Amino acid sequence: MRIDILTVFPDMFGPVLAAGIVGKAIRNRLADVRVHDLREFTHDRHRSTDDSPFGGGPGMVMLPGPLFEAVSSLGAGPDAAVVALTPQGRPFDQRAAERLAALERIVLICGRYEGIDERVIEQLATEEISTGDYVVSGGEVPAMLIVDAVVRLLPGALGHSEEALADDSHTSGLLQHPQYTRPADFEGLPVPDVLLSGNHAVIAQWRRREALRRTLERRPDMLAEAELSSEDIHVLRALGWKSPTPRPSQEA
Ligand code: 9D3
């Protein structure tokens, strides 16, 4: 897969693209990630990438010129996703990562300033994505997040032991249980006894219960979609879960 990133801060990406699973996938040529400085597609003396908004108001808006020229220069075909990263986009999730990972090419346009000229969104972008409901300074960190989530899904990107874990959390639909490693007593803080018992059935039962407990506590919304056994539902009810029942509709 090839990923092109358009940004006014190309220097932000180096270490992120070199480290860990993403770095390895790039070195192994599973992913070809290219970062492009938008200033290379300007022609004025100041190499401007932004200007004031028509209609007035605070802040600056990304110019369409450099973005149109940059996307044009990439020669991406009709199957490529051209993603504008903006706070107005659809929220990014694992399903979106899977969809993008199935493509041969994606282009990530990193928004900066108060926003991107809407003609870029309408004419150039095939979709608009936000990584979540918080404010960051631009689309660069969101782009890194998307590259990471997508590249690790490429066939061969994960090692065998990582692959074994890939069916976790967001695929099984529950949060992960707590993890512990040595020492069994860290400065008076013990590991739960059950994990030292060697009884794998009891350990599995404890972990499932902890996963259910945490999911109920932190992400009760996930329980509606999770694959739950009747034993799971028993445990959840004992923990105070009120399974959402369909509401009688008020329509005629
Ligand atoms: C004044 C209103 N602000 C919107 C909440 C303006 C604004 C904030 C932050 C405009 C741009 C930005 C920069 N952020 C992004 O470009 C961005 C982003 C984000 O802030 N959160 C989550 N995902 C993304 S993707 C791009």
Side-chain angles (χ1 to χ4, degrees), residues 65-165:
L67 284 166
F68 271 81
E69 197 172 306
V71 172
S72 238
S73 77
L74 299 177
D79 293 343
V82 179
V83 179
L85 293 160
T86 76
Q88 290 74 44
R90 289 185 203 285
F92 185 68
D93 60 13
Q94 191 63 22
R95 294 226 329 241
E98 286 164 11
R99 179 172 55 77
L100 294 175
L103 302 177
E104 273 309 311
R105 283 193 76 163
I106 64 182
V107 178
L108 300 175
I109 299 174
C110 301
R112 273 276 155 177
Y113 322 114
E114 274 314 292
I116 303 174
D117 186 288
E118 192 64 19
R119 291 163 293 188
V120 171
I121 307 297
E122 288 176 351
Q123 305 295 323
L124 224 43
T126 58
E127 60 189 290
E128 206 173 344
I129 290 180
S130 157
T131 54
D133 291 344
Y134 39 76
V135 179
V136 296
S137 307
E140 284 77 9
V141 170
M144 293 174 201
L145 188 152
I146 288 172
V147 168
D148 191 306
V150 168
V151 167
R152 67 197 307 290
L153 293 175
L154 299 178
L158 298 184
H160 287 295
S161 73
E162 294 155 340
E163 199 73 59
L165 293 168

Side-chain angles (χ1 to χ4, degrees), residues 1-213:
M1 152 181 270
R2 175 164 154 185
I3 303 176
D4 290 285
I5 300 169
L6 305 180
T7 173
V8 293
F9 291 116
D11 297 348
M12 287 178 69
F13 289 85
V16 170
L17 297 179
I21 289 166
V22 169
K24 193 172 191 180
I26 292 171
R27 289 190 295 276
N28 289 341
R29 316 194 56 169
L30 301 177
D32 175 8
V33 182
R34 305 188 193 187
V35 181
H36 309 271
D37 184 348
L38 267 178
R39 289 196 194 283
E40 303 291 316
F41 302 93
T42 61
H43 301 287
D44 65 313
R45 281 196 328 119
H46 300 287
R47 310 185 89 197
S48 313
T49 57
D50 63 321
D51 204 339
S52 326
F54 277 125
M60 301 292 269
V61 175
M62 288 184 89
L63 291 164
L67 284 166
F68 271 81
E69 197 172 306
V71 172
S72 238
S73 77
L74 299 177
D79 293 343
V82 179
V83 179
L85 293 160
T86 76
Q88 290 74 44
R90 289 185 203 285
F92 185 68
D93 60 13
Q94 191 63 22
R95 294 226 329 241
E98 286 164 11
R99 179 172 55 77
L100 294 175
L103 302 177
E104 273 309 311
R105 283 193 76 163
I106 64 182
V107 178
L108 300 175
I109 299 174
C110 301
R112 273 276 155 177
Y113 322 114
E114 274 314 292
I116 303 174
D117 186 288
E118 192 64 19
R119 291 163 293 188
V120 171
I121 307 297
E122 288 176 351
Q123 305 295 323
L124 224 43
T126 58
E127 60 189 290
E128 206 173 344
I129 290 180
S130 157
T131 54
D133 291 344
Y134 39 76
V135 179
V136 296
S137 307
E140 284 77 9
V141 170
M144 293 174 201
L145 188 152
I146 288 172
V147 168
D148 191 306
V150 168
V151 167
R152 67 197 307 290
L153 293 175
L154 299 178
L158 298 184
H160 287 295
S161 73
E162 294 155 340
E163 199 73 59
L165 293 168
D167 279 328
D168 246 35
S169 185
H170 274 268
T171 42
S172 94
L174 294 178
L175 299 181
Q176 199 175 61
H177 56 74
Q179 305 269 28
Y180 298 87
T181 185
R182 282 185 281 275
D185 185 312
F186 175 69
E187 300 182 359
L189 303 172
V191 166
D193 273 338
V194 58
L195 298 178
L196 310 177
S197 70
N199 186 332
H200 295 293
V202 174
I203 290 169
Q205 194 176 40
W206 180 87
R207 286 178 166 169
R208 185 73 183 178
R209 186 187 163 81
E210 288 300 305
L212 291 164
R213 193 183 52 70

